[in-house]
Amino acid sequence: MGFLEVKHIRKTYTGRLGAKETTALKDVHFSVNEGEFVSVMGESGSGKTTLLNLLSTLDKPSEGEITLAGTPLTTIKEKELSKFRREQLGFVFQDFNLLDNFSLKDNILLPLVLEQMPVKEMEDRLKPLVEKLGISQLINNYPYEVSGGQKQRAAVARALITKPKLILADEPTGALDSKASEVLMDLFSDIHAMNQTILMVTHSARAASYSNRVLFIRDGEVYHEIYRGDQTTEVFMDRISKALLFSFDRGEQDGI
């Protein structure tokens, strides 16, 4: 049994006044082992965002079940969901989602403040983390005073500060230049090496090449997956790019 189990998930939406039902996910089924780094790729509208919303408990599946470390997410009571997200899940977003009127330090510590953790324990968690991420000299700065890459490192620190079971990353390199993206993905590799489980949605073959495995989603279904094995990131990136090209070509042919 996988650490994260996604079991035959279906998600449909019904429009107003009995409008036609829209199926965002048809029958998504996969598992992620503890300590694994998995990327999810697909074109816009393929169902990636819906899947991420379900994994993050922001939405519920119409059918099927998702379990994390043996806990079915649908059994968590509504009033306990916010606490579950703060304690069990870490989030890294494309647009950083930092509060401009908070320093980087306050942004990073916010989940622990909401948990009313003692100040000394918060400081004990903060120091080694920001040192590892290379932003210890910047934590008193505000988001508008640092670069995009530094903002994303602060966002990663905020995601890790709660010691979550699962990191969910949504296009984490999307707002970064190529150099900052490379630095961030090297950082993700380091985090993964510490046995952190990561699931990342990305359009970038280069970003995905840092993961152990890539799932390809199209029309609400996972239709293909490839494993990295002992391949270099460059070789794996080439395989990912070819898989994406094949998917695009097949989609064009299906539409003829």
Side-chain angles (χ1 to χ4, degrees):
M1 186 177 190
F3 182 67
L4 172 68
E5 290 277 351
V6 178
K7 304 174 183 177
H8 301 292
I9 291 299
R10 180 180 178 85
K11 180 63 182 178
T12 58
Y13 298 96
T14 304
R16 294 182 180 179
L17 303 175
K20 185 178 178 181
E21 188 177 78
T22 300
T23 301
L25 295 176
K26 293 179 181 176
D27 182 19
V28 175
H29 186 80
F30 66 90
S31 63
V32 176
N33 295 324
E34 187 171 10
E36 194 174 10
F37 182 1
V38 175
S39 291
V40 178
M41 303 192 76
E43 296 179 350
S44 297
S46 61
K48 303 188 306 298
T49 299
T50 300
L51 176 62
L52 208 59
N53 287 341
L54 297 178
L55 295 175
S56 63
T57 71
L58 295 174
D59 202 353
K60 294 183 178 181
S62 304
E63 296 176 18
E65 185 177 67
I66 300 171
T67 61
L68 179 63
T71 300
L73 301 190
T74 52
T75 64
I76 303 171
K77 296 178 180 178
E78 197 70 33
K79 62 182 180 181
E80 297 171 351
L81 281 175
S82 293
K83 181 178 175 65
F84 174 82
R85 291 184 202 112
R86 286 198 303 269
E87 294 182 350
Q88 308 296 333
L89 304 175
F91 299 94
V92 182
F93 303 95
Q94 176 177 339
D95 56 0
F96 320 125
N97 276 24
L98 298 176
L99 300 173
D100 279 337
N101 57 334
F102 279 30
S103 67
L104 296 188
K105 177 180 178 179
D106 290 340
N107 270 286
I108 295 167
L109 292 177
L110 184 57
L112 304 186
V113 172
L114 293 172
E115 286 298 308
Q116 300 181 328
M117 181 176 286
V119 173
K120 185 180 185 307
E121 189 174 347
M122 288 195 289
E123 293 288 348
D124 288 345
R125 286 197 187 191
L126 178 70
K127 185 178 179 181
L129 186 56
V130 295
E131 286 179 353
K132 180 172 182 57
L133 298 181
I135 55 172
S136 57
Q137 304 301 316
L138 300 171
I139 59 173
N140 292 317
N141 289 40
Y142 289 83
Y144 55 81
E145 296 177 319
V146 300
S147 70
Q150 291 163 340
K151 288 179 188 177
Q152 196 59 294
R153 289 190 188 203
V156 171
R158 181 184 56 194
L160 291 171
I161 196 82
T162 60
K163 300 180 179 178
K165 286 186 170 72
L166 174 67
I167 292 286
L168 296 172
D170 186 8
E171 301 285 359
T173 63
L176 305 178
D177 61 30
S178 59
K179 180 58 179 176
S181 296
E182 183 179 350
V183 171
L184 179 67
M185 293 316 303
D186 284 339
L187 181 58
F188 267 57
S189 291
D190 292 341
I191 294 166
H192 169 235
M194 297 163 59
N195 205 42
Q196 176 66 59
T197 310
I198 304 171
L199 188 140
M200 176 177 70
V201 167
T202 182
H203 280 99
S204 168
R206 178 165 291 279
S209 69
Y210 284 78
S211 56
N212 300 128
R213 178 165 50 119
V214 181
L215 303 175
F216 297 90
I217 189 168
R218 181 177 59 211
D219 299 329
E221 295 181 281
V222 174
Y223 68 92
H224 186 49
E225 64 179 309
I226 56 176
Y227 289 80
R228 176 175 174 174
D230 58 0
Q231 295 173 330
T232 65
T233 55
E234 294 300 325
V235 172
F236 194 36
M237 182 175 70
D238 184 57
R239 288 185 61 205
I240 293 168
S241 298
K242 287 177 179 176
L244 289 170
L245 183 62
F246 174 77
S247 171
F248 178 77
D249 288 345
R250 182 177 170 182
E252 289 289 297
Q253 291 165 7
D254 288 346
I256 294 175

